[in-house]
Amino acid sequence: MPTIFVDDRAIEAKTGDNLLEVLLSNGIDVPYFCWHPAMGSVGACRQCAVVGYANPDDTRGRIIMSCMTPVTEGARFSVQSDNASSFRNSVVENLMLNHPHDCPVCEEGGECHLQDMTVMVGHSDRRYKGLKTTFRNQYLGPLIGHEMNRCITCYRCVRYYQDYAGGNDLAAFGSRDRVFFGRAEPGLLDNEFSGNLVEVCPTGVFTDKTLSKHYTRKWDLQSSPTVCQACSLGCNTYTSERYGEVRRVHNRYHNEVNGYFLCDRGRFGAQHVNSPRRIPRAGMRNADGLYEPVSIPDALDKVKALLNGKVIGIGSPRASLESNEALRQLVGPDQYCNGMTSTEREMHGVILEVLASNLNVPSMMEVETFDAILVVGEDVTNHAPRLALSIRQAVRNIGQQLAADTGISQWHDAAVRELEQDEKSPLVILSPMTDRLDDIASDTHRLAPNDIVSMVKQIIEAIDDNKPSHARDIASTLLAAKRPLIVSGTSLRSANILKASANLAAALASKNPGTGIFLCASEVNSIGVAMIDNTGNAEDLLGNKPETVIVLENDIDTRLGGSLLDEVQNLVVIDAMDNPTASRSSIVLPAASFAEAEGTFVNNEGRAQRSMATFAPAEHITPGYQLLSALGGDQLSASGWQQKLAAEHALLAGVATCAPDEQFRIEGSRIARMTHRASGRTAMLANVSVHEPQQPLDTESPLAFTMEGNQARAPASLRPYTWSPGWNSNQSIHKFQDEVGGPDKSGATGIRLFTGSTELTGFELSEFELSEEADADLIGQVHIFGSDELSNEAAELSTLIPQPYARMSSATAASLKVSHQDGLAFGDIIMTVLVDDEVAERCVVYPITPGTEALESARLSGLQKVAGYTAPADPLRPSLITTDRTS
């Protein structure tokens, strides 16, 4: 490791790092704008200037950009010299020539990287009195606002959007001395990761519209560390609240899971907590069949009286481990099931076996290190979106290797991209329809689900067979890689696809121990509830004619079919959101959402992570495990249930220690959810009383619903927001890392529960044949917006749900005697025919969105052509109200 000298301070630097990374990693503040730890250096802003000296005798030195300077043994630099300081000051002054004087009203105010850097360089007085260059803002959709006048031309936005996230509809447009960052014309940003622009932009050019509509100053937000509920990947988030409403979600850095970025469903989907469909209080159906509001104690007393009869409990893959275990303990292990369908249980059983095996199951960030990837029947971008961003980085590994061979540093982003040009590491996709990753794929095959399984079997055979074929080509690609990766998941609802993928990974691992397998589960806690119990069957339990059924946060009516509940005498529903199951219940109990209750969730890689309540729920709303504790007479806290989980299930022993419990303190203090700058707290309820009420007491965690407490020294699993003196924006995260881009100083968030010691012997595939009466497969396609039960209730995301369609190849359309933009009906479901030759032969693809559930069991013979049908302009893109062309 080279030793460098900064203002006469000796620093050991990591070989290969640039100077800016070394300075920040060692606690030396240097201002910057264009550099980003995930995107490397381009030297565009000139803000990170320092003085570099040629040798110990050089007293003058020269101005250099620290982000573009590699560290070498004995190199000498100065951050504090007068010429470096004045240069950095002049850069900020030049940026301010056209920047508006709107800090008091700017949405970014108080959390603005430009503000922080301006203060850091000491710039305070504006000498320029002339006119400023101004721009007209663009409409960018319902999620992202645009305020171009705040731009400082750092190019971060287009570098992230185009180079990192793979978007192509946001660019830099130049004319004379004007540069505009936006779309060629107003419209919805067509990238699933556009929300990250809000955090990537160092000023307030791109804003969160979901926050803007009920804007709160950033320092007045109450926040907590949470786990994203939108898919199985377990991305770490900060959820923030004001006045009992979720105001925004920000990325919470985790060096092994989501890194610096989130998908848009995770960022904006939490608005479902504010949905008008929330269940506000307990209710019971009266003799006339109408609901009557009742108190929680009265409702619990009624349910207790029903527990003397025959009772079963149906859990949920979207409920916490604590709530599921509380239900299991209440009804008994033999009368509990995890609430998944038989197919779901079989698929997640496969994932559990893979996690327990000695196969290499990488974290999401490790995916970026693999040099050949085969995606088997998984719509990654729509089903497990954040993984798609990691795969986009993985295909650049060939460029990184070329750079290493040429002696170019990995952080030198422009040089590496110039060198790699269009070279990509192999990415092969087997899917029935087009995939959002097709633009970076080296090879794609459009195959029906059973044909995907057949292809994988052929690839396994081709590992030891040199006979020319498509399967042999794929096998050769995987065998030639240093670290091949198999990616699959549950989006096509085929256990055979998962089994075949695991068999392929095992076959490759016998040749190359560096082989990895990454399997995407269905929901946020599908793996967790499968670990509690994966044998109980809801259909069998309901077939035993129970007198009372307790359903925990699960729309069984939609998941399993409403007829299963027809003969249930007493249906007790514990849920946060109204749904068809809750609407037919005898008794409904209002459960707290993830933002109002502590809970533990296990992601697809078997990592248990704790999610903390952001705010205290309204009067009648109660965490599910507390309601079930009251029914069982246990009155256990969250940590009590975590101890029970650890005692009852050997695989879940780590749950109790994946985050500190409610007894944790820092020098006797709790951890404050509010910032130390929180203002107006005494006025929040002034319409009720001019006297400030006592803040709610959190008995479930070491966090406090106040501004009093410690934040800076909180462990990562409990840190409610990221802030450090002089660094008010999310750029302060480097203050909490061992090194820039490295793990948190306080240790990892969560704990991986599987040791991976069992040898996988291989799965037997079940027989699958196309129904003789069908001309094609009906295949449901998940959509990032529309296929998740909870995020569909987020107001803004609900406008992005596609309309029903039936996509098929021209040959399939001809066999069905339909044409492009004809209408097809199945009962009340009317779909627009989309002829697309990128769909596999003998496949008809429909969206898995609200209202299309009946198609899962439909046959093509049941579809009827609709006479006189008028098709919408584009069913895949929703009809957005775009009259507001500005932000």
Side-chain angles (χ1 to χ4, degrees):
M1 295 177 67
T3 299
I4 64 172
F5 298 89
V6 180
D7 292 312
D8 296 325
R9 172 186 167 188
I11 295 175
E12 278 198 355
K14 184 178 177 182
T15 304
D17 278 359
N18 63 51
L19 178 58
L20 178 60
E21 293 171 348
V22 173
L23 295 174
L24 294 176
S25 296
N26 284 274
I28 300 174
D29 288 345
V30 179
Y32 62 86
F33 290 118
C34 65
W35 175 82
H36 189 281
M39 296 186 290
S41 306
V42 291
C45 70
R46 322 307 288 171
Q47 184 62 70
C48 63
V50 299
V51 172
Y53 299 99
N55 53 59
D57 298 326
D58 183 3
T59 58
R60 179 169 180 170
R62 63 187 180 91
I63 295 291
I64 60 172
M65 300 304 122
S66 59
C67 74
M68 301 296 291
T69 303
V71 293
T72 56
E73 178 63 37
R76 309 183 77 87
F77 307 97
S78 175
V79 175
Q80 300 173 359
S81 64
D82 291 343
N83 51 343
S85 298
S86 62
F87 185 95
R88 295 193 296 263
N89 192 307
S90 66
V91 170
V92 168
E93 183 173 23
N94 286 330
L95 292 176
M96 288 297 179
L97 294 181
N98 288 301
H99 197 78
H101 300 212
D102 67 345
C103 289
V105 296
C106 175
E107 290 192 26
E108 198 75 358
E111 199 178 74
C112 175
H113 187 60
L114 176 60
Q115 279 183 335
D116 290 345
M117 299 302 98
T118 301
V119 172
M120 188 177 293
V121 303
H123 175 72
S124 57
D125 298 324
R126 302 194 186 203
R127 295 180 291 175
Y128 175 69
K129 303 299 182 184
L131 295 177
K132 294 179 180 291
T133 301
T134 58
F135 299 89
R136 186 184 296 266
N137 301 325
Q138 273 190 328
Y139 173 81
L140 299 177
L143 306 177
I144 306 297
H146 191 232
E147 181 53 71
M148 185 58 206
N149 289 332
R150 297 172 184 156
C151 182
I152 59 171
T153 325
C154 70
Y155 284 85
R156 260 195 186 190
C157 58
V158 291
R159 289 180 58 218
Y160 162 75
Y161 195 85
Q162 294 180 356
D163 298 341
Y164 196 92
N168 57 18
D169 60 328
L170 181 80
F173 300 91
S175 174
R176 303 194 307 274
D177 59 346
R178 297 163 60 90
V179 181
F180 181 86
F181 295 89
R183 286 173 48 90
E185 59 183 17
L188 173 70
L189 286 172
D190 191 32
N191 187 278
E192 298 82 3
F193 309 99
S194 62
N196 291 307
L197 291 169
V198 175
E199 294 190 60
V200 167
C201 177
T203 68
V205 176
F206 299 98
T207 58
D208 181 343
K209 277 191 172 180
T210 64
L211 174 63
S212 302
K213 72 178 183 181
H214 46 195
Y215 183 69
T216 297
R217 281 299 191 187
K218 311 296 176 65
W219 58 80
D220 283 335
L221 291 170
Q222 178 170 252
S223 306
S224 73
T226 50
V227 174
C228 179
Q229 305 289 295
C231 78
S232 69
L233 298 180
C235 292
N236 285 211
T237 56
Y238 291 119
T239 301
S240 300
E241 167 269 351
R242 180 77 165 169
Y243 289 113
E245 292 182 344
V246 169
R247 295 297 171 94
R248 73 167 186 190
V249 168
H250 260 204
N251 183 73
R252 177 164 60 108
Y253 175 82
H254 193 302
N255 69 301
E256 294 182 347
V257 184
N258 48 291
Y260 293 92
F261 304 117
L262 298 173
C263 76
D264 285 357
R265 184 167 71 192
R267 182 177 298 274
F268 302 108
Q271 296 291 320
H272 73 264
V273 175
N274 306 332
S275 170
R277 291 170 55 82
R278 284 292 302 272
I279 299 173
R281 61 180 304 162
M284 289 196 296
R285 201 179 293 277
N286 62 23
D288 296 324
L290 301 176
Y291 276 110
E292 291 181 348
V294 296
S295 67
I296 292 290
D298 287 348
L300 292 176
D301 287 343
K302 178 64 175 177
V303 177
K304 286 178 182 178
L306 299 175
L307 295 179
N308 296 321
K310 193 174 182 180
V311 184
I312 68 167
I314 300 178
S316 171
R318 65 173 168 87
S320 68
L321 289 179
E322 292 85 349
S323 293
N324 274 283
E325 182 62 18
L327 177 60
R328 179 176 173 273
Q329 295 282 341
L330 178 67
V331 300
D334 294 336
Q335 303 304 316
Y336 166 85
C337 69
N338 62 28
M340 294 193 284
T341 65
S342 298
T343 300
E344 288 174 320
R345 287 187 292 104
E346 184 181 7
M347 292 190 296
H348 291 96
V350 174
I351 298 176
L352 287 180
E353 287 195 49
V354 170
L355 291 174
S357 76
N358 56 2
L359 291 179
N360 174 23
V361 178
S363 68
M364 193 154 48
M365 288 295 97
E366 286 180 297
V367 167
E368 299 183 7
T369 66
F370 286 82
D371 57 351
I373 298 177
L374 173 64
V375 179
V376 183
E378 177 68 352
D379 190 343
V380 174
T381 309
N382 283 303
H383 191 228
R386 180 58 185 81
L387 175 61
L389 209 52
S390 291
I391 291 176
R392 286 190 176 276
Q393 311 324 305
V395 299
R396 294 195 58 219
N397 280 327
I398 190 170
Q400 302 284 3
Q401 186 58 52
L402 288 171
D405 294 342
T406 314
I408 297 175
S409 299
Q410 305 294 324
W411 48 260
H412 202 319
D413 188 60
V416 174
R417 291 184 185 278
E418 182 68 22
L419 181 64
E420 73 182 43
Q421 296 291 315
D422 293 328
E423 293 286 335
K424 296 283 188 294
S425 296
L427 170 62
V428 182
I429 299 176
L430 311 180
S431 68
M433 72 288 283
T434 53
D435 191 284
R436 295 285 282 182
L437 293 174
D438 284 350
D439 62 310
I440 57 170
S442 56
D443 192 13
T444 60
H445 295 266
R446 304 292 179 239
L447 302 168
N450 52 323
D451 294 332
I452 290 175
V453 175
S454 298
M455 173 63 88
V456 175
K457 291 168 68 176
Q458 293 170 35
I459 295 170
I460 296 172
E461 295 168 359
I463 289 175
D464 295 311
D465 183 1
N466 291 321
K467 185 177 180 180
S469 65
H470 287 309
R472 176 58 193 172
D473 293 341
I474 297 172
S476 298
T477 297
L478 296 172
L479 289 169
K482 293 180 180 177
R483 301 195 72 200
L485 176 68
I486 309 301
V487 173
S488 191
T490 62
S491 62
L492 285 180
R493 303 179 182 183
S494 167
N496 269 354
I497 286 178
L498 290 164
K499 292 175 181 178
S501 298
N503 290 346
L504 174 57
L508 287 170
S510 67
K511 305 283 186 181
N512 181 355
T515 302
I517 181 168
F518 194 99
L519 301 179
C520 303
S522 295
E523 297 177 63
V524 62
N525 216 13
S526 296
I527 297 300
V529 294
M531 293 172 72
I532 289 177
D533 177 89
N534 204 38
T535 58
N537 188 318
E539 292 94 330
D540 291 344
L541 291 178
L542 288 166
N544 293 331
K545 309 297 182 186
E547 298 170 5
T548 301
V549 176
I550 302 176
V551 178
L552 171 68
E553 299 181 43
N554 199 337
D555 184 9
I556 291 298
D557 196 88
T558 300
R559 189 187 294 265
L560 299 177
S563 60
L564 284 172
L565 300 174
D566 287 346
E567 297 183 21
V568 175
Q569 298 176 34
N570 303 297
L571 178 61
V572 180
V573 170
I574 302 173
D575 212 330
M577 198 76 64
D578 189 17
N579 55 46
T581 303
S583 294
R584 65 189 297 176
S585 63
S586 311
I587 302 172
V588 63
L589 295 169
S593 69
F594 84 98
E596 300 156 327
E598 181 177 336
T600 308
F601 301 88
V602 182
N603 75 351
N604 67 297
E605 61 183 84
R607 185 187 303 271
Q609 300 181 108
R610 193 92 77 239
S611 183
M612 297 296 179
T614 305
F615 59 101
E619 180 183 0
H620 300 286
I621 296 174
T622 309
Y625 63 84
Q626 290 185 5
L627 291 169
L628 291 160
S629 289
L631 290 173
D634 293 314
Q635 298 298 335
L636 290 178
S637 64
S639 63
W641 284 112
Q642 291 150 17
Q643 295 293 338
K644 280 234 177 193
L645 282 160
E648 290 277 334
H649 312 278
L651 280 175
L652 293 172
V655 165
T657 57
C658 71
D661 65 16
E662 70 272 18
Q663 302 300 322
F664 179 84
R665 296 291 186 274
I666 299 174
E667 294 184 354
S669 296
R670 287 175 173 265
I671 299 165
R673 286 179 169 92
M674 297 181 184
T675 73
H676 66 282
R677 301 178 297 165
S679 61
R681 194 178 76 184
T682 57
M684 285 180 64
L685 299 175
N687 60 323
V688 178
S689 171
V690 295
H691 301 286
E692 181 185 2
Q694 180 180 348
Q695 295 299 108
L697 178 63
D698 186 356
T699 60
E700 300 286 311
S701 81
L703 277 67
F705 294 113
T706 69
M707 61 189 288
E708 292 80 28
N710 200 310
Q711 173 268 340
R713 293 166 56 190
S717 55
L718 297 178
R719 190 180 304 128
Y721 54 90
T722 303
W723 178 89
S724 185
W727 299 80
N728 295 287
S729 74
N730 60 353
Q731 306 296 317
S732 62
I733 184 61
H734 71 267
K735 295 291 188 180
F736 299 91
Q737 297 169 333
D738 276 342
E739 60 181 359
V740 169
D744 198 278
K745 293 177 181 177
S746 66
T749 298
I751 183 171
R752 293 189 73 160
L753 301 174
F754 291 87
T755 57
S757 57
T758 306
E759 185 169 352
L760 190 72
T761 57
F763 293 97
E764 291 292 331
L765 305 185
S766 56
E767 293 296 324
F768 178 87
E769 295 182 2
L770 191 65
S771 171
E772 294 181 359
E773 62 181 87
D775 297 313
D777 284 335
L778 260 177
I779 299 173
Q781 180 180 14
V782 294
H783 280 265
I784 185 171
F785 307 128
S787 298
D788 175 61
E789 178 185 355
L790 292 182
S791 65
N792 286 348
E793 299 296 332
E796 287 74 21
L797 294 192
S798 67
T799 67
L800 304 177
I801 298 174
Q803 299 171 30
Y805 60 79
R807 291 170 63 196
M808 62 192 79
S809 68
S810 53
T812 303
S815 69
L816 296 177
K817 299 179 181 179
V818 293
S819 302
H820 187 64
Q821 294 200 324
D822 278 351
L824 276 178
F826 179 79
D828 295 332
I829 305 170
I830 299 178
M831 300 174 287
T832 301
V833 174
L834 300 178
V835 176
D836 178 2
D837 283 325
E838 284 295 313
V839 176
E841 295 298 327
R842 298 169 54 251
C843 290
V844 175
V845 179
Y846 69 89
I848 301 176
T849 53
T852 65
E853 296 86 3
L855 290 170
E856 185 174 357
S857 58
R859 300 280 177 85
L860 285 190
S861 56
L863 301 181
Q864 302 295 322
K865 186 174 179 180
V866 179
Y869 178 73
T870 302
D874 186 356
L876 294 175
R877 294 184 64 85
S879 301
L880 292 172
I881 300 173
T882 58
T883 52
D884 175 17
R885 292 292 180 179
T886 70
S887 297

